[in-house]
Amino acid sequence: MTVPADKPHLSREHMLALLKQMIRIRRFEEKCAELYTREKIRGFLHLYDGEEAVAVGVIPVLDQRDHIVATYREHGHALVRGVPMTAVMAEMYGKQEGCSRGRGGSMHLFDAATNFHGGNAIVGGGLPLAVGLALAEHMRGGDAVTACFFGEGAVAEGEFHESMNLAALWQLPVLFVCENNLYAMGTALALSESETDIERKAACYRIASEAVDGMDVVAIEAAARRAVHAVRESRKPYFLECRTYRLRAHSMFDAQLYRDKAEVEAWRHKEPIIRFQTWLESNHIIHADDVSRIQAEVDAEITEAVAFAEAGTWEPVGELTRFTYAESAPPPAR
Amino acid sequence: MTVPADKPHLSREHMLALLKQMIRIRRFEEKCAELYTREKIRGFLHLYDGEEAVAVGVIPVLDQRDHIVATYREHGHALVRGVPMTAVMAEMYGKQEGCSRGRGGSMHLFDAATNFHGGNAIVGGGLPLAVGLALAEHMRGGDAVTACFFGEGAVAEGEFHESMNLAALWQLPVLFVCENNLYAMGTALALSESETDIERKAACYRIASEAVDGMDVVAIEAAARRAVHAVRESRKPYFLECRTYRLRAHSMFDAQLYRDKAEVEAWRHKEPIIRFQTWLESNHIIHADDVSRIQAEVDAEITEAVAFAEAGTWEPVGELTRFTYAESAPPPAR
Amino acid sequence: MKQETVKAQMIETTYREAAKEAIRDAIKRDERVFLMGEDVGRYGGCYAVSKGLLAEFGPEKIRDTPLSESGFTGAGIGAAMAGMRPIVEVMTVNFSLLALDQILNTAATVRHMSGNQFGVPVVIRMATGAGRQLAAQHSHSLEGWYAHIPGIKVLAPATLEDARGMLWTALEDPDPVLIFENVMLYNMSGTLAADAGPVDIDKAAVRRPGHDISLITYGGSLWKTLEAATSLAAEGIDAEVIDLRSLRPLDDATIMASVAKTRRAVIVDEGWRSGSLAAEIGMRIVEQAFWELDAPIGRVCSEEVPIPYPRHLENASIPQAPKIVAAAKAVLGRA
Amino acid sequence: MKQETVKAQMIETTYREAAKEAIRDAIKRDERVFLMGEDVGRYGGCYAVSKGLLAEFGPEKIRDTPLSESGFTGAGIGAAMAGMRPIVEVMTVNFSLLALDQILNTAATVRHMSGNQFGVPVVIRMATGAGRQLAAQHSHSLEGWYAHIPGIKVLAPATLEDARGMLWTALEDPDPVLIFENVMLYNMSGTLAADAGPVDIDKAAVRRPGHDISLITYGGSLWKTLEAATSLAAEGIDAEVIDLRSLRPLDDATIMASVAKTRRAVIVDEGWRSGSLAAEIGMRIVEQAFWELDAPIGRVCSEEVPIPYPRHLENASIPQAPKIVAAAKAVLGRA
Ligand SMILES: Cc1ncc(C[n+]2csc(CCOP(=O)(O)OP(=O)(O)O)c2C)c(N)n1
Ligand SMILES: Cc1ncc(C[n+]2csc(CCOP(=O)(O)OP(=O)(O)O)c2C)c(N)n1
Ligand SMILES: [Mg+2]
Ligand SMILES: [Mg+2]
């Protein structure tokens, strides 16, 4: 565990909060996996197991006014950002009490209240959008940051290149957060990029960057502080590579033929929750009952979320096409 | 003028040939500009004035079996490659004796006999195609090289990024030739790229590269020899940046509001034909009458090409839809 | 009242100038509005629509972009989502294919899939159509294709009034609006009220009333269709000409009212025939007014071929007045 | 003759397996054939179509690509131009928008604009359709949209025979062929002749003969339409069901022969209604068989909305047997 000396927030409370958020995501998703087998949740479900430290390390560093753009593997991001777990779970069920009215499901969590701009299921599709959110900020002279999360697989898409160039060229306040979990579905990084050192991509566009151990929530938080600070002050983009690993299947339909069990096992030893918890315990910062208390709180929250989702209602079929367009017609001419 | 010591082909004949090819392109295009004002040639016409040394330096280094992919600014490439000037001029007229049956015009010169794969009017559109031609070569175990020409403006397109990565990842024999003339229509390089040193893009994909004075035909030829040799031997891509300048308007519809006359004038002093010719004369390699002989030959060839195009015929309207699909139906099932 | 007798002062202008005036007006009216696209600034716009605007508004409001259609269109969508009112110019519809993922998968879906939390009030302008001998990669008419996409609106200004007036209304729309400007119209000149301004975008217009047949069209083909109507008139056939103006949504009411009157229709559309917008309109007429038809519906579309370079073949590829006349007469049984 | 009495040996299989067998067979038959696309190799194909093929043929013939739809589709086009016979797999039609420039501006134009000097014998396979609750960015049915493009051919195998047989014929075609596999069909099981092989790709098939009405469809909707036909039969309505098989070119002759017989038609298509392939087919019927129609043509398409996630709304978005029944009865005046 890296603990930089200059950490202002490294209080016990703060560390408990980090731990709790990671556990919250993990257990929420474990419940989702279970609900998936029970067919309460359908469609694609992409779990964040092993990668929780990234969202937990980065997102709380952002301000309320900042924007977030995420991918289809975004439950963790939404939860940490403060989208209520009830609304997220109802969304996973497809109920109209969900954070996207039930229409988006797992891959399309949206929440205007927290500037959570989705949930994008097109790999790389969120990158130009993030550039645009930052462009708006730039033009209005605001100082909000737009954080854009994406996998290393997205780096091969043309949109990555165009977005990095635009953000750097126009000096836009985008924080690019690459969640490098070494695989894009079944495609290992070495089969996807001729240059496998992802952080180097930033230099190609003259974007400042840092790579960080994506399994170390404290290191990520420290790096995120530097990154967000740099973007907020310089009004320029910044690239943060978080080196992590996906411990589970890509989605619920994945036999994982493309990697060895041993590789997964080796990574499981580095996984961020146990690692952080063990470190906290061995440094006597927390105690066993802190963890059980957290788990109990989280479990209660999950139970409530499931109950909320179960009690939720289906959007009437008659509303199917509502909001394909805005309901308020444009004002008449002149 | 750079004249590397180790140049095997630096005979008088060879130098005369280089000079002649450049003059051939220049005068051919001057005639085209004239024919454009006379409305013999229509549509878009993009002249290569100032950039001739690139095609002339690179293309003769290629072998007959090699492939070429070009852009809409490709008259020079086609002529140097050996597409008959008659067929190119007839194409500019839209006559069916043209190298693309008259259907392509200036932007779509094609010639199967010389592996000239067009003339592509979508900026960046030829790059993936070149990767595919090289992939075919790779899979068949042949040793042909695919040379892909494109402007520095194309570097901003996602296709550039995807193509560079694929070629490097799969180790395909593509010679990427970037004709960096500093402008994409009216957009100066600094308004288009956050990293304006184009050659550096190659390193981002682990592609070997070189930048060369694009106004110096001898230097280009030497660089092209190194490049083609590298691709042929290593079966890997190579990136050659030719730093040149477009002395005329982007196309025939361009008021050139985006640059100073003085800038253009300054570059005119570096233009490749006079520069090479002056050097050859001051080193007593050629004489004034060599140049006049070349000009006479070229003029005769142009006169013949114009006559050929004038005498050419219009494709009958009845054939309009011919070859939208191949005429031989696919064989029946089994 | 006095005002009724005062004729609006008219000015001589062109479609290009009208489009420019619309942009200028919008930027002045609303500080959230800006123009972005390839060569809109220093170059002056590939069809010179934005010439002079950089000097007037500066490089932030008239933003030149690199050649990155997906990137900057997506950026326009994002900026709109964040409350700006970007006018994204994609040089021509041919290049918009590179941006289609952003348009279809993001702009068109966000409002619905976010449960109405986010909207995308972007306007995307592009040139469309053939006629300048630009050959197979520069001559597409894909506006009808775009009209297939729920979540966006599609406009096709054919007149000076609409070139001047549709933009502001589109910018006021909370959803993405695509505006297609036919390349052959930019040089069209005529008179326009000096105080011309925003126009509605939800009604088709009857550009020539008539009784014998409805000729339904839009954009660049409107003028060819009006020419055809004049020829038909010389032969005693009184054609009604409808300018759709909005391709999505379509103004079914105006179409059906016309067909109910004339009982015959020909649709003229520069898209390739199979899967053309003309097919959609024909099908709607069949669905909504079948029993009022006295004859099969005709259509005049582009030939199904990548548009070739030579003038005579390009002309033969796309709708022309004589073909429209012939189609109308065929429907009237007078071929 | 003896052979006529020998029944072909039948095997139990699935659409997925049939599609895989087609790929395996093609790679074995012709050394120019290879498969490329995202996750076709190590992962086994996002819909498991190519599972096992990497082990059998190695990574050159079963080529995993990075997430670069435009790049690798363009590379497939280039390789085809150079004489190879690539099968490019784009995971789903939703992502193919990123490759559309290469498909429309290059693959579809090269033969014509080069004056027949170069051709692009590429085959591009993609999954299409809704039904798996994958929401607004993963549920498009854009095959009808692709059918608008001259220069390419578009196939939609709906049966095991066609999943097995269309690929080789497509690979033999000198022009680009797109094959759309409906996601809901992969698990469909049934029997197939053990020696099943290539099939023609230029004829529509009458999957159920009938006299009262023609139900015209393709792909995933075929099975819903057959189900509807069964329901209609129970009510004494004898529907003919046509499986288009090829969406471009369309087999007009089979369609018109059917309509000439039944005098009524409903077209079923999973594309969004406005600008759907159904509109094109309806328009062709009007153009070619207007006088044989006894009633307006009906269509059952997808609702004009980005497909939502919840089962009940997704179901309501796309064609279903009861809607087809209702549309047929409406056309027959028995609603
Ligand atoms: C444009 C596009 N192509 C393909 C897919 C299918 N797909 C979904 S996720 C994925 C892998 C993405 O990998 P990465 O970007 O590394 O993110 P991760 O899933 O590892 O978090 C693929 C290929 C898609 N959704 N969008
Ligand atoms: C995808 C696409 N976008 C825009 C255009 C319009 N356009 C044609 S050439 C050009 C500039 C290209 O510049 P560059 O690549 O530097 O080549 P150059 O013309 O300088 O040789 C532009 C914007 C196009 N043809 N294709
Ligand atoms: Mg990944
Ligand atoms: Mg240039």
Side-chain angles (χ1 to χ4, degrees):
Chain A
M1 226 66 216
T2 358
V3 179
D6 63 337
K7 301 287 318 72
H9 280 81
L10 224 55
S11 65
R12 188 180 117 88
E13 277 63 33
H14 183 65
M15 288 192 275
L16 280 172
L18 291 179
L19 183 64
K20 180 172 178 179
Q21 286 289 28
M22 291 198 288
I23 292 175
R24 225 176 135 235
I25 299 172
R26 178 75 56 88
R27 290 180 88 98
F28 173 83
E29 290 201 326
E30 283 165 355
K31 177 56 83 179
C32 289
E34 180 202 321
L35 292 164
Y36 196 89
T37 62
R38 288 170 45 207
E39 303 197 358
K40 295 286 187 179
I41 299 175
R42 309 301 302 270
F44 281 152
L45 179 69
H46 304 91
L47 304 183
Y48 201 46
D49 188 353
E51 311 186 37
E52 296 90 344
V54 179
V56 173
V58 173
I59 292 177
V61 172
L62 296 169
D63 207 274
Q64 205 36 56
R65 68 188 180 289
D66 296 335
H67 302 279
I68 294 178
V69 175
T71 70
Y72 46 85
R73 195 184 298 289
E74 88 288 31
H75 314 136
H77 308 74
L79 292 175
V80 180
R81 182 57 174 176
V83 186
M85 193 187 280
T86 46
V88 176
M89 187 61 94
E91 188 60 36
M92 311 289 288
Y93 270 65
K95 298 289 181 76
Q96 60 183 335
E97 292 77 11
C99 61
S100 307
R101 209 184 171 85
R103 289 162 165 194
S106 160
M107 302 199 289
H108 301 294
L109 305 176
F110 281 88
D111 185 44
T114 59
N115 289 336
F116 197 82
H117 293 267
N120 198 313
I122 300 297
V123 172
L127 288 153
L129 202 75
V131 170
L133 295 169
L135 175 62
E137 198 62 24
H138 163 88
M139 294 190 74
R140 283 192 295 243
D143 77 340
V145 169
T146 298
C148 180
F149 293 85
F150 54 96
E152 89 298 335
V155 169
E157 293 280 9
E159 278 60 33
F160 170 79
H161 169 75
E162 297 186 5
S163 301
M164 293 283 281
N165 185 45
L166 288 178
L169 184 71
W170 294 343
Q171 308 218 343
L172 302 178
V174 183
L175 172 57
F176 292 99
V177 184
C178 182
E179 305 182 307
N180 178 2
N181 62 9
L182 298 178
Y183 290 90
M185 281 185 68
T187 302
L189 178 55
L191 292 172
S192 156
E193 289 292 322
S194 60
E195 168 60 75
T196 53
D197 185 344
I198 297 291
E199 190 203 342
R200 287 209 192 161
K201 312 278 175 190
C204 303
Y205 305 93
R206 297 188 167 271
I207 294 180
S209 67
E210 180 173 349
V212 63
D213 179 351
M215 296 307 204
D216 180 344
V217 69
V218 176
I220 295 169
E221 193 194 61
R225 280 186 195 286
R226 288 187 287 274
V228 172
H229 184 262
V231 176
R232 189 131 25 231
E233 295 305 305
S234 70
R235 318 306 305 143
K236 287 187 196 168
Y238 193 97
F239 187 86
L240 183 63
E241 180 195 350
C242 300
R243 296 182 171 160
T244 179
Y245 196 80
R246 160 167 65 68
L247 291 168
R248 294 234 213 177
H250 166 74
S251 71
M252 304 304 278
F253 307 100
D254 173 6
Q256 299 190 64
L257 306 171
Y258 48 84
R259 60 183 183 183
D260 279 349
K261 289 224 167 65
E263 179 185 303
V264 182
E265 266 322 294
W267 277 94
R268 197 161 276 291
H269 292 297
K270 306 184 199 162
E271 71 90 15
I273 299 181
I274 297 299
R275 184 170 163 195
F276 189 46
Q277 185 180 322
T278 310
W279 182 85
L280 289 172
E281 285 172 356
S282 59
N283 284 277
H284 308 290
I285 299 170
I286 64 163
H287 311 284
D289 55 348
D290 286 321
V291 177
S292 35
R293 183 182 36 79
I294 285 177
Q295 287 184 343
E297 285 168 14
V298 165
D299 289 348
E301 191 186 7
I302 291 170
T303 306
E304 189 203 332
V306 172
F308 180 83
E310 287 283 347
T313 54
W314 301 113
E315 184 171 15
V317 169
E319 301 208 347
L320 171 62
T321 60
R322 246 186 112 184
F323 307 129
T324 303
Y325 297 94
E327 297 208 328
S328 58
R334 302 219 178 194
Chain B
M1 228 64 220
T2 358
V3 180
D6 64 337
K7 301 285 318 79
H9 280 80
L10 225 57
S11 64
R12 187 180 118 85
E13 275 65 29
H14 183 64
M15 288 192 275
L16 280 172
L18 292 178
L19 182 64
K20 181 173 178 180
Q21 286 290 29
M22 292 198 288
I23 292 175
R24 228 177 132 232
I25 300 173
R26 179 74 56 87
R27 290 181 89 99
F28 173 83
E29 290 200 325
E30 282 166 356
K31 176 55 82 177
C32 289
E34 180 204 320
L35 292 165
Y36 196 89
T37 61
R38 287 170 47 206
E39 305 197 358
K40 295 286 189 180
I41 299 174
R42 308 302 302 270
F44 281 152
L45 179 68
H46 305 91
L47 303 182
Y48 201 47
D49 189 354
E51 310 186 38
E52 296 90 344
V54 179
V56 173
V58 173
I59 291 178
V61 170
L62 296 170
D63 207 274
Q64 204 35 57
R65 67 189 180 289
D66 294 336
H67 302 279
I68 294 178
V69 175
T71 70
Y72 45 84
R73 195 183 300 286
E74 88 289 30
H75 314 136
H77 307 73
L79 291 175
V80 179
R81 181 58 174 176
V83 187
M85 192 186 282
T86 45
V88 175
M89 187 60 94
E91 189 61 37
M92 311 288 288
Y93 271 65
K95 299 289 181 79
Q96 59 182 336
E97 292 76 12
C99 62
S100 307
R101 209 183 170 88
R103 291 163 164 191
S106 160
M107 301 200 289
H108 301 295
L109 305 176
F110 281 88
D111 185 44
T114 59
N115 289 334
F116 197 81
H117 293 266
N120 198 312
I122 301 298
V123 173
L127 287 153
L129 201 74
V131 170
L133 294 169
L135 176 61
E137 198 62 23
H138 163 86
M139 294 190 74
R140 283 193 295 243
D143 76 341
V145 169
T146 298
C148 180
F149 293 84
F150 54 96
E152 88 298 338
V155 169
E157 293 280 9
E159 278 61 32
F160 170 78
H161 169 74
E162 297 187 4
S163 301
M164 292 284 279
N165 185 43
L166 288 179
L169 185 70
W170 293 343
Q171 309 217 340
L172 302 178
V174 183
L175 172 57
F176 292 99
V177 184
C178 181
E179 303 182 307
N180 178 2
N181 62 11
L182 298 177
Y183 289 91
M185 282 186 64
T187 303
L189 178 54
L191 292 172
S192 155
E193 290 292 323
S194 60
E195 166 60 75
T196 53
D197 184 344
I198 297 290
E199 191 204 342
R200 288 209 192 161
K201 312 279 176 189
C204 302
Y205 305 93
R206 297 189 168 270
I207 294 180
S209 67
E210 181 173 348
V212 62
D213 178 351
M215 297 307 206
D216 180 345
V217 68
V218 175
I220 295 169
E221 193 194 61
R225 280 186 194 287
R226 287 187 288 275
V228 172
H229 183 263
V231 176
R232 186 125 34 225
E233 294 304 306
S234 70
R235 318 307 301 147
K236 288 186 196 166
Y238 194 98
F239 187 87
L240 183 62
E241 179 195 350
C242 300
R243 297 182 170 160
T244 179
Y245 195 80
R246 161 168 63 70
L247 291 168
R248 296 236 211 174
H250 166 74
S251 70
M252 304 304 278
F253 307 100
D254 173 7
Q256 299 190 64
L257 306 170
Y258 49 83
R259 62 181 182 183
D260 280 348
K261 287 226 168 64
E263 179 185 301
V264 181
E265 267 322 295
W267 277 95
R268 197 162 275 292
H269 291 297
K270 304 185 199 163
E271 72 89 17
I273 299 180
I274 298 300
R275 184 169 165 198
F276 189 46
Q277 184 180 322
T278 311
W279 181 84
L280 289 171
E281 285 172 356
S282 58
N283 283 277
H284 308 293
I285 299 169
I286 64 163
H287 311 284
D289 55 350
D290 286 319
V291 177
S292 34
R293 184 181 35 79
I294 286 175
Q295 288 185 340
E297 284 168 15
V298 165
D299 288 349
E301 191 185 4
I302 292 170
T303 306
E304 189 203 332
V306 172
F308 180 83
E310 287 283 348
T313 53
W314 301 113
E315 184 171 17
V317 170
E319 302 210 345
L320 171 62
T321 60
R322 247 188 112 184
F323 307 129
T324 303
Y325 297 95
E327 298 208 328
S328 58
R334 304 228 171 183
Chain C
M1 270 184 55
K2 184 151 172 275
Q3 257 170 304
E4 283 182 345
T5 65
V6 176
K7 271 259 171 2
Q9 204 196 317
M10 301 299 281
I11 51 163
E12 273 290 322
T13 190
T14 62
Y15 187 96
R16 174 182 291 107
E17 287 303 317
K20 178 187 304 184
E21 193 48 38
I23 298 170
R24 177 184 285 127
D25 181 32
I27 295 177
K28 284 187 182 160
R29 270 183 195 235
D30 185 340
E31 61 175 17
R32 298 169 305 171
V33 173
F34 64 101
L35 175 70
M36 70 195 288
E38 290 161 14
D39 293 305
V40 295
R42 281 85 180 167
Y43 190 92
C46 68
Y47 288 106
V49 169
S50 52
K51 201 158 160 179
L53 297 183
L54 175 68
E56 192 170 347
F57 298 109
E60 286 280 310
K61 296 267 171 176
I62 308 294
R63 181 173 290 267
D64 278 320
T65 69
L67 274 147
S68 305
E69 284 79 3
S70 189
F72 71 75
T73 304
I77 292 166
M81 231 169 135
M84 300 295 285
R85 290 294 179 276
I87 306 169
V88 175
E89 175 176 312
V90 179
M91 277 191 180
T92 79
V93 68
N94 310 281
F95 318 143
S96 75
L97 301 178
L98 291 162
L100 190 54
D101 168 66
Q102 290 293 319
I103 298 173
L104 199 162
N105 281 321
T106 303
T109 60
V110 158
R111 182 180 300 281
H112 192 270
M113 82 179 166
S114 73
N116 201 33
Q117 289 179 88
F118 293 99
V120 183
V122 71
V123 171
I124 306 176
R125 293 173 47 240
M126 27 188 148
T128 187
R132 292 179 168 244
Q133 292 189 247
L134 301 182
Q137 295 182 328
H138 274 59
S139 302
H140 304 315
S141 290
L142 296 173
E143 55 277 5
W145 219 34
Y146 275 100
H148 180 54
I149 306 173
I152 64 172
K153 298 185 180 175
V154 177
L155 305 179
T159 63
L160 300 183
E161 286 74 16
D162 283 351
R164 173 66 184 84
M166 283 182 163
L167 180 70
W168 178 255
T169 319
L171 283 164
E172 296 258 282
D173 197 291
D175 292 308
V177 180
L178 273 54
I179 301 183
F180 288 88
E181 299 166 7
N182 187 287
V183 287
M184 300 309 286
L185 296 180
Y186 286 123
N187 290 334
M188 182 176 77
S189 60
T191 57
L192 183 66
D195 66 348
V199 296
D200 77 86
I201 57 171
D202 47 13
K203 286 267 159 278
V206 177
R207 298 288 180 205
R208 182 191 192 285
H211 282 89
D212 297 334
I213 186 166
S214 302
L215 305 181
I216 302 164
T217 188
Y218 67 89
S221 299
L222 171 64
W223 305 99
K224 297 176 183 173
T225 306
L226 285 167
E227 192 189 324
T230 306
S231 301
L232 288 167
E235 301 189 46
I237 299 168
D238 182 26
E240 176 147 309
V241 176
I242 294 181
D243 173 5
L244 294 167
R245 301 180 67 244
S246 167
L247 310 188
R248 184 181 186 96
L250 284 165
D251 174 9
D252 287 357
T254 300
I255 297 170
M256 300 313 151
S258 177
V259 173
K261 178 172 68 173
T262 64
R263 311 186 72 86
R264 289 178 169 86
V266 166
I267 309 148
V268 184
D269 163 11
E270 205 177 308
W272 290 303
R273 186 178 186 89
S274 291
S276 55
L277 185 76
E280 175 60 27
I281 295 168
M283 185 70 187
R284 289 190 185 203
I285 296 174
V286 169
E287 288 171 324
Q288 298 174 41
F290 183 76
W291 301 113
E292 317 195 50
L293 285 174
D294 283 349
I297 303 163
R299 58 177 161 168
V300 180
C301 296
S302 283
E303 296 298 321
E304 311 217 31
V305 64
I307 312 278
Y309 161 67
R311 163 76 69 214
H312 69 298
L313 294 182
E314 183 183 51
N315 279 343
S317 306
I318 62 176
Q320 305 294 354
K323 279 197 207 173
I324 302 169
V325 169
K329 288 165 75 175
V331 166
L332 285 156
R334 290 176 47 172
Chain D
M1 269 184 59
K2 183 151 173 274
Q3 257 168 305
E4 284 181 345
T5 64
V6 176
K7 271 256 167 16
Q9 207 196 314
M10 301 300 281
I11 51 164
E12 273 291 323
T13 189
T14 62
Y15 187 95
R16 173 182 291 108
E17 288 302 317
K20 179 187 302 182
E21 193 48 38
I23 298 169
R24 178 184 284 127
D25 181 32
I27 294 177
K28 283 187 183 161
R29 269 184 196 235
D30 185 340
E31 61 175 20
R32 298 169 306 172
V33 173
F34 64 101
L35 175 71
M36 68 193 291
E38 290 161 14
D39 292 306
V40 295
R42 280 86 178 167
Y43 189 91
C46 68
Y47 288 106
V49 169
S50 51
K51 199 156 157 184
L53 297 183
L54 175 68
E56 192 171 346
F57 297 110
E60 286 279 310
K61 296 268 170 174
I62 307 295
R63 181 174 289 268
D64 278 320
T65 68
L67 275 148
S68 304
E69 284 79 3
S70 189
F72 72 75
T73 303
I77 292 166
M81 232 171 135
M84 299 296 284
R85 291 293 179 278
I87 305 169
V88 175
E89 176 175 311
V90 179
M91 275 190 181
T92 79
V93 67
N94 310 281
F95 319 142
S96 75
L97 301 178
L98 292 163
L100 191 55
D101 167 65
Q102 289 293 319
I103 297 173
L104 199 162
N105 281 321
T106 303
T109 60
V110 158
R111 181 180 300 281
H112 192 269
M113 83 179 165
S114 72
N116 201 33
Q117 288 180 89
F118 293 99
V120 182
V122 70
V123 170
I124 306 177
R125 293 173 45 239
M126 26 189 149
T128 187
R132 292 176 167 246
Q133 292 190 247
L134 302 182
Q137 295 181 330
H138 275 58
S139 303
H140 304 316
S141 289
L142 296 173
E143 55 278 5
W145 218 34
Y146 275 100
H148 181 53
I149 306 172
I152 63 172
K153 298 185 180 176
V154 178
L155 305 180
T159 62
L160 299 184
E161 286 73 16
D162 282 350
R164 174 64 185 84
M166 282 181 163
L167 179 69
W168 178 254
T169 319
L171 283 164
E172 296 259 282
D173 198 291
D175 292 309
V177 180
L178 273 56
I179 301 183
F180 288 89
E181 300 166 7
N182 186 287
V183 287
M184 300 309 286
L185 296 180
Y186 286 123
N187 290 334
M188 181 176 77
S189 60
T191 56
L192 183 65
D195 66 347
V199 296
D200 77 85
I201 57 172
D202 46 13
K203 287 268 161 275
V206 178
R207 298 287 182 206
R208 182 191 193 284
H211 281 88
D212 297 336
I213 188 167
S214 303
L215 305 180
I216 302 164
T217 189
Y218 67 89
S221 298
L222 172 63
W223 305 99
K224 298 175 182 172
T225 306
L226 286 167
E227 191 189 324
T230 305
S231 303
L232 288 167
E235 301 190 49
I237 299 167
D238 182 26
E240 175 146 311
V241 177
I242 294 181
D243 172 6
L244 293 167
R245 302 181 67 243
S246 168
L247 310 187
R248 185 180 186 97
L250 284 165
D251 175 9
D252 288 356
T254 300
I255 298 170
M256 300 314 152
S258 177
V259 173
K261 179 173 65 174
T262 63
R263 310 185 73 88
R264 288 173 168 88
V266 167
I267 308 148
V268 184
D269 162 11
E270 205 176 307
W272 290 305
R273 185 179 187 88
S274 290
S276 55
L277 185 75
E280 174 61 28
I281 294 168
M283 185 69 186
R284 287 190 186 204
I285 295 173
V286 168
E287 288 171 321
Q288 298 174 40
F290 183 75
W291 300 112
E292 318 194 49
L293 286 173
D294 282 350
I297 302 164
R299 58 176 161 168
V300 180
C301 296
S302 283
E303 296 299 320
E304 313 220 28
V305 63
I307 312 280
Y309 161 67
R311 162 78 68 213
H312 68 297
L313 295 181
E314 182 183 51
N315 279 344
S317 305
I318 62 177
Q320 305 293 355
K323 279 198 207 171
I324 302 167
V325 168
K329 287 165 77 177
V331 166
L332 285 156
R334 291 175 48 173

